[in-house]
Amino acid sequence: MSSLCKNVTILGATGSIGVNTLDVIARHPDAYAVFALTANRNVELLRQQVLEHQPVYAVLQDEAAARTLREQLAAEPVTTEVLCGIEALQDVARATEVDYVMAAIVGAAGLLPTLAAVNAGKRVLLANKEALVMTGKLFMQAVADAGAELLPIDSEHNAIYQCLPAANTAQKTRAGVNRIILTASGGPFRTVDMEQLAEVTPAQACAHPNWAMGAKISVDSATMMNKGLELIEACWLFDTTQDNVDILIHPQSIVHSLVEYSDGSMLAQMGNPDMRTPIAYGLGWPERIASGVASLDLASIGRLEFEPLDPARFPCVRLAEEAMAAGGTATATLNAANEIAVAAFLAGRISYLAIAEVVDRVMQSCTVRPADSVAIVLEEDQQARQLAEQAISASAEPRAILS
């Protein structure tokens, strides 16, 4: 192993980002070593990953799952130590031996371990957009205070990062940047008749036309809440306001986002819809490394299409815009209510259209507080989750909002 080999902790190793990160790392065995792999309760896949990549630690949030993995590995030729719980997640994120942390735990559950990596001054490859959505200014201040390296892994934010001047990502006005344009595929329901949306099933919502993702993120893509969260994330990452961030529907998912400059130039980052590209960018930065992604064949694609966002079809975008405008804890409320509503939809408790209604009701019910500490943010997160559950339980079918 080279002395220049970087130790990597992957938070959320069994999700799609984690799996793709391991694929890229395996292509560069002399450059990267896996220090720790974490998961919620997917014992079988984590076991396979441990056997293949031989990490120092494997961490499960679920205690019973950790016990099962520990028993299974006892009969295997590995020295990996199995840990359990939120403190263990934070420990493997901030461990002295770790150079890079892939933050890929979905949802608010990823906040504390991601912040642990930030506070320890690691290179943080941020795929968990919710951590930044929830804590915003606190998160970015922690990055600055600790001297951490923050590289966005969401395909859209990674594209923007690549299109901004390297030394001026937080100084756009001086760099001549006019606006940031986030592209969105439009998901599986971009052209579906509006009246049919009330009957959408979880399986249909998870069938994204371009990307292979987990259930929660797939539903967020269908409702376009993910694009609303990405708008909030972009404002914090690139030190701008939502007035300077536009959303453009691009069904092919080839142009991952764009930056417009004051001289009329518009720079776009393009590539096949494969998360290994931004993952490889984050691991290799400032160099470029092989990702395993096939070359983009524009001639075979033939045409790239763009169209404006339909706010009536995607009300979650408006809710995200309102949360960002309200500031403080509003974005944490938005995220928490959405997580509960999406889980309820996936469980068959509410309809697809009711997701936005539940989020709207919770946002209307919560008082916005200054997000002065992580503790305050987490308090509001819990309150919003309780209110969302109450809204779901109070009505078998909350009124769907379409505007």
Side-chain angles (χ1 to χ4, degrees):
M1 183 181 296
S2 167
S3 60
L4 298 178
C5 191
K6 300 297 184 182
N7 282 327
V8 183
T9 283
I10 303 177
L11 302 172
T14 57
S16 61
I17 296 294
V19 169
N20 280 313
T21 301
L22 287 170
D23 181 272
V24 175
I25 286 175
R27 296 171 188 276
H28 305 275
D30 294 331
Y32 307 101
V34 178
F35 179 79
L37 298 174
T38 85
N40 183 16
R41 58 172 64 92
N42 190 340
V43 173
E44 183 51 37
L45 180 52
L46 188 60
R47 174 181 171 276
Q48 295 172 22
Q49 293 175 338
V50 166
L51 293 177
E52 180 176 355
H53 298 280
Q54 305 279 311
V56 179
Y57 296 105
V59 184
L60 285 148
Q61 294 193 59
D62 183 81
E63 184 175 348
R67 186 163 51 250
T68 298
L69 180 62
R70 201 174 286 120
E71 293 170 354
Q72 291 180 354
L73 292 180
E76 302 287 353
V78 296
T79 59
T80 301
E81 183 177 353
V82 179
L83 305 176
C84 176
I86 186 64
E87 285 295 331
L89 286 175
Q90 295 177 73
D91 287 343
V92 297
R94 62 189 168 216
T96 304
E97 300 94 327
V98 172
D99 300 292
Y100 300 166
V101 175
M102 170 59 76
I105 295 175
V106 176
L111 174 59
L112 292 179
T114 302
L115 276 175
V118 167
N119 289 327
K122 307 301 183 183
R123 172 179 291 190
V124 178
L125 310 183
L126 187 66
N128 171 272
K129 62 174 66 68
E130 293 89 351
L132 188 50
V133 166
M134 291 173 68
T135 56
K137 184 178 180 180
L138 290 170
F139 190 99
M140 296 307 294
Q141 188 61 54
V143 170
D145 291 346
E149 287 183 318
L150 184 63
L151 290 168
I153 301 302
D154 270 353
S155 61
E156 296 83 0
H157 300 95
N158 187 266
I160 294 162
Y161 191 92
Q162 294 192 48
C163 291
L164 287 172
N168 292 287
T169 53
Q171 301 174 15
K172 288 165 303 305
T173 301
R174 280 172 283 175
V177 174
N178 268 359
R179 62 179 175 142
I180 288 168
I181 302 171
L182 291 167
T183 55
S185 70
F189 307 133
R190 179 176 62 88
T191 60
V192 171
D193 189 288
M194 296 280 279
E195 294 182 356
Q196 297 179 17
L197 294 178
E199 306 303 321
V200 161
T201 68
Q204 290 171 324
C206 289
H208 195 282
N210 301 332
W211 296 94
M213 304 178 291
K216 194 269 182 182
I217 299 174
S218 295
V219 174
D220 281 351
S221 182
T223 65
M224 289 274 283
M225 178 60 88
N226 77 316
K227 209 55 52 178
L229 298 178
E230 286 169 10
L231 182 150
I232 296 168
E233 187 180 8
C235 290
W236 290 116
L237 279 172
F238 306 117
D239 189 27
T240 192
T241 66
Q242 62 190 96
D243 293 338
N244 296 324
V245 182
D246 292 338
I247 297 173
L248 186 65
I249 300 295
H250 168 49
Q252 290 82 18
S253 296
I254 296 298
V255 175
H256 298 300
S257 277
L258 310 94
V259 174
E260 181 188 74
Y261 287 83
S262 56
D263 62 2
S265 298
M266 189 172 286
L267 301 187
Q269 187 268 337
M270 304 168 65
N272 284 314
D274 190 317
M275 285 306 299
R276 290 177 297 174
T277 295
I279 289 167
Y281 183 87
L283 286 170
W285 185 88
E287 306 297 330
R288 301 268 182 174
I289 65 172
S291 65
V293 177
S295 296
L296 178 63
D297 186 350
L298 287 171
S300 67
I301 294 168
R303 64 191 300 173
L304 300 176
E305 300 169 304
F306 302 91
E307 59 193 57
L309 171 74
D310 180 357
R313 183 178 293 273
F314 301 113
C316 284
V317 174
R318 172 177 58 80
L319 295 174
E321 291 172 340
E322 291 175 356
M324 186 64 189
T329 56
T331 53
T333 296
L334 170 89
N335 179 71
N338 180 65
E339 286 192 25
I340 295 300
V342 169
F345 166 67
L346 289 170
R349 298 173 61 199
I350 61 173
S351 74
Y352 168 81
L353 290 177
I355 294 172
E357 173 62 16
V358 169
V359 176
D360 189 36
R361 288 187 182 185
V362 173
M363 289 179 63
Q364 297 301 322
S365 300
C366 287
T367 300
V368 178
R369 300 167 61 188
D372 291 336
S373 70
V374 173
I376 289 174
V377 170
L378 291 177
E379 286 176 8
E380 293 302 313
D381 172 87
Q382 289 303 308
Q383 181 185 16
R385 290 171 189 276
Q386 293 170 6
L387 290 171
E389 282 290 356
Q390 291 170 13
I392 292 164
S393 299
S395 173
E397 182 56 36
R399 175 181 54 85
I401 58 172
L402 296 176
S403 61

